[in-house]
Amino acid sequence: MAKKRYFAWSPLRAIMAGVGAKIVARDAVDYLIDYLQKTTVDLTKQAIVYARHAGRKKVTTSDIDLAINL
């Protein structure tokens, strides 16, 4: 069974093209999607820890910022 993707291929490809990567291999975009998805999951899990520590259920910008910068 294939892993569910949460990032769409076309917008990421558009971002890459916008910064100058006019020709990009499909597997390169897929690799970037895998990286972004893993990073997002890891940061979200850490942000949840910070929110719970603060006695909240809602994850806030501050929680995400802490997860990114610590």
Side-chain angles (χ1 to χ4, degrees):
M1 184 172 163
K3 183 166 66 168
K4 181 165 175 68
R5 296 269 172 127
Y6 294 97
F7 290 92
W9 191 88
S10 293
L12 287 177
R13 179 61 196 96
I15 291 169
M16 295 171 85
V19 296
K22 299 300 178 197
I23 300 172
V24 179
R26 175 77 187 208
D27 61 334
V29 179
D30 289 340
Y31 188 80
L32 179 59
I33 288 170
D34 290 340
Y35 172 79
L36 292 172
Q37 187 161 313
K38 180 188 177 308
T39 302
T40 302
V41 168
D42 293 344
L43 288 172
T44 301
K45 286 179 180 179
Q46 191 59 48
I48 290 168
V49 170
Y50 295 136
R52 288 185 179 155
H53 179 75
R56 293 181 277 105
K57 292 182 180 179
K58 181 188 282 186
V59 174
T60 65
T61 304
S62 297
D63 301 321
I64 297 294
D65 187 52
L66 282 172
I68 290 170
N69 293 306
L70 289 183

